[in-house]
Amino acid sequence: YPIKVLEYGVFALCPLVPDYPVFRDIIQEGETGYYFQHKDASSLGESILRMFNENKNCVCCGQEWHKYVKKNFEWKDTVKQIVNSLSN
C-alpha cells in the first residue's frame, strides 16, 4: 500500500484518495476516508467540498483510519510477517 496514505492514519488525518482498487481494499467511503475519480478534477473538487461540509464526519474518519492503520499496519507486525515469510 502507498506509504503516504498510511502516514495519514498515524496522524489521524482523513485520507482523500483516487478510486483505485488498492484503496478500495482498505478504505471505506465515508467511514475511514473519501474517494475521487482518477484524472477527474471535478470529482476531486466535489470530494474536497464534501470533506469540508462534513467536517465532523471527516474528523471521525480520520480517527477511524488511525485505529485501522494501528491495528493492521504496525511496523513490528509487518517485520514479523516478512521474517516468517523468509524463514519458510
Side-chain angles (χ1 to χ4, degrees):
Y1 297 104
I3 296 296
K4 180 58 69 185
V5 176
L6 300 177
E7 289 174 341
Y8 296 151
V10 171
F11 297 102
L13 299 173
C14 180
L16 173 59
V17 297
D19 189 13
Y20 293 148
V22 66
F23 295 126
R24 286 283 177 195
D25 290 343
I26 59 174
I27 295 176
Q28 302 302 312
E29 174 75 25
E31 294 177 25
T32 56
Y34 291 90
Y35 292 100
F36 65 92
Q37 295 298 313
H38 175 64
K39 294 186 178 183
D40 185 338
S42 177
S43 175
L44 175 60
E46 289 169 8
S47 294
I48 291 170
L49 285 174
R50 181 176 174 206
M51 290 175 72
F52 179 79
N53 291 328
E54 297 177 4
N55 184 47
K56 288 183 181 178
N57 189 56
C58 189
V59 170
C60 290
C61 283
Q63 292 168 347
E64 290 302 312
W65 182 235
H66 174 76
K67 291 176 194 174
Y68 183 86
V69 168
K70 277 193 68 124
K71 179 180 176 188
N72 296 287
F73 295 100
E74 285 285 318
W75 277 111
K76 62 182 171 126
D77 297 329
T78 303
V79 170
K80 284 180 188 176
Q81 290 175 356
I82 292 169
V83 169
N84 287 339
S85 294
L86 294 174
S87 297
N88 294 331

